[in-house]
């Protein structure tokens, strides 16, 4: 349950948290842009930005991506009429102004060469001062377009964030009061005046533009009307769709909970409560992997080697040496481990920890080590899978997975139509259904019984008295110790070591291991784990700023703002 919760939290955070964390903490409180259209078709632009910084900063950035056949020239920056140093990198301008925890106001100016396009009836300034590549939110934006002279012939149109934000004053100045403009959005502005205001423009398009602008305006109004109709419909049906999926999820969770309760009852009923150690329905390495299915490390290899000693397949010949005495093992992974450790890393059935160090010291052996390790581990996992300790429930999971996919288009539609409350609820339901489809593999009675028995053992072993433990069979005592080694549970391991050290020498005989050898055996387990972990780390270790905008505005233009 803990792993499911962590995974759910991780996936949910991918939807909620920002995709990119800015290096500098700032906000753009106020943005004012004035564009002065010139008689020769150029546009002189002044921009004023008010930034609030939290922490240290080095300056601000402005990305200006010119449209086709236009050019940005004479870019300058000022603060209180004092010129600031500007560094240009293609379309990115860095305005250097260091400080900390300040509110600053920066003025920018530049010229757009050939920014006005002249037609036979009207001339238009069609420009994206920002586009979807912009990574900062403008909390208050105003854009003013000034003609060379006042005129009665004025058409203005805003797209996306600029739609229906424009007004005109008696001097024919068009004001786009856009308010807050979120990062990652477009907002092109389009203003047309009488062509006679631009007598110095020599390149004139031999066609009209007025009808195109009016047609575009009509199209946008129709799209806005359709959008509002869809939004109203979605707002009406959203509670019912959400309710259906919520009930569906609730039924799934209730049935899963009820099945688990029944399985738990049957597992408890079939458990042998009097046993001091869980029954050997699987080998110790398989039990360790089943209880701790994370990436295997040196602990599992050490425990598996010690288990070979416990079962009499291998003997300890000295403080640091093991010898194979019986190759007729019960499980395939035991045979693979013997071949790997005693005949590849070691030699002729002999193995020492120094052999691992020597073997890994040759980089040519790294790939073979990985292959042998993976083959052995897959065999351990195969033993667990062979027991059918979990139900796959493929049919149910596919059904739930498909239902979660069907909810995705609806969720996207809610977001597109600004129904964010219902969108958030839909995302949570979607993730919950998806997680259920991915993770729901209920344990069988046997699987839950094994898990409960080992959990009970782990929780009660620390409180066992020396007298109770002394009544266990020698083999059970060794299994408990090996389990603690394989799981890496220091509390269990410390308990086993203290119990072993309390035994009298007359009782110390485990598969040929005498009193003084048992203490060495315990110490050796730590050395083996450390050696194998270091080998794994060595082998697997050898196996394996701001971005300028892309120009999603009209005609390839665009830009944005930021800080550094």
């Amino acid at each position: 349950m803990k792993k499911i919760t962590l995974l759910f939290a991780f996936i949910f955070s991918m939807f909620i948290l920002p995709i990119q964390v800015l290096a500098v903490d700032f906000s753009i409180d106020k943005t004012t842009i004035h564009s002065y259209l010139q008689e020769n078709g150029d546009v002189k632009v002044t921009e004023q930005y008010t930034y609030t910084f939290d922490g240290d900063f080095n300056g601000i950035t402005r990305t200006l991506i010119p449209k086709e056949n236009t050019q940005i020239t004479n870019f300058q920056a000022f603060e209180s009429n004092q010129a600031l140093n500007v560094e240009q990198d293609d379309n990115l301008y860095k305005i250097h102004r260091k400080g900390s925890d300040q509110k600053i106001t920066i003025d920018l100016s530049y010229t757009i060469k050939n920014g006005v396009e002249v037609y036979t009836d009207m001339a238009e300034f069609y420009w994206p001062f920002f586009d979807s590549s912009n990574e900062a939110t403008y909390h208050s934006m105003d854009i003013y377009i000034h003609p060379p002279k006042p005129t009665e012939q004025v058409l203005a149109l805003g797209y996306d964030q600029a739609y229906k934000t424009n007004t005109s004053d008696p001097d024919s100045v068009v004001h786009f009061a856009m308010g807050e403009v979120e990062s990652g959005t477009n907002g092109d502005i389009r203003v047309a005046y009488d062509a006679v205001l631009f007598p110095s423009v020599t390149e004139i398009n031999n066609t009209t533009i007025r009808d195109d602008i009016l047609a575009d305006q009509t199209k946008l109004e129709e799209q806005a009307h359709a959008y509002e109709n869809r939004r109203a419909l979605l707002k009406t049906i959203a509670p019912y769709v959400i309710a259906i999926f919520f009930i569906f999820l609730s039924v799934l969770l209730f049935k899963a909970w009820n099945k688990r309760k029944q399985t738990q009852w049957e597992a408890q009923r079939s458990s042998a409560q009097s046993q001091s150690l869980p029954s050997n329905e699987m080998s110790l390495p398989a039990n360790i992997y089943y209880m701790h299915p994370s990436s295997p490390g040196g602990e599992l290899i050490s425990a598996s080697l010690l288990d070979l000693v416990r079962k009499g397949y291998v003997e300890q010949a000295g403080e640091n040496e093991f010898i194979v005495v019986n190759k007729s093992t019960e499980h395939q992974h035991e045979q693979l481990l013997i071949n790997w450790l005693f005949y590849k890393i070691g030699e002729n059935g002999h193995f020492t920890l120094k052999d691992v160090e020597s073997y890994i010291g040759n980089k040519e052996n790294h790939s073979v080590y990985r292959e042998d390790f993976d083959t052995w581990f897959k065999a351990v996992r195969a033993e667990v899978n062979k027991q059918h300790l979990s139900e796959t429930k493929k049919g149910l999971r596919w059904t739930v997975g498909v239902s979660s996919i069907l909810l995705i288009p609806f969720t996207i539609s809610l977001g597109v139509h600004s129904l964010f409350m219902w969108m958030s609820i839909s995302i949570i339901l979607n993730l919950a259904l998806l997680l259920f489809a991915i993770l729901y593999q209920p344990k069988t009675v046997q699987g839950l019984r094994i898990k409960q028995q080992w959990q009970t053992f782990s929780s009660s072993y620390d409180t066992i008295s020396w007298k109770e433990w002394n009544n266990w069979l020698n083999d059970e005592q060794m299994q408990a110790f090996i389990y603690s080694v394989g799981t890496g549970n220091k509390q269990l391991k410390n308990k086993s070591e203290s119990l072993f050290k309390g035994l009298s020498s007359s009782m110390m005989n485990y598969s040929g291991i005498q009193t003084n050898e048992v203490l060495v055996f315990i110490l050796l387990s730590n050395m083996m784990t450390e050696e194998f972990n270091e080998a794994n780390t060595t082998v697997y270790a050898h196996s394996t700023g701001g971005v300028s905008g892309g120009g999603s505005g009209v005609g390839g233009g665009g830009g944005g703002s930021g800080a550094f």
Side-chain angles (χ1 to χ4, degrees), residues 7 25 125 285 352 394:
L7 182 57
D25 189 2
F125 177 56
T352 68
K394 289 184 178 179

Side-chain angles (χ1 to χ4, degrees), residues 282 330-331 379-389 446:
M282 294 189 296
E330 182 181 359
H331 301 282
V380 175
R381 189 168 55 192
E383 182 191 349
V384 176
N385 295 336
K386 188 177 180 180
Q387 298 295 319
H388 302 295
L389 304 180
Q446 181 188 9

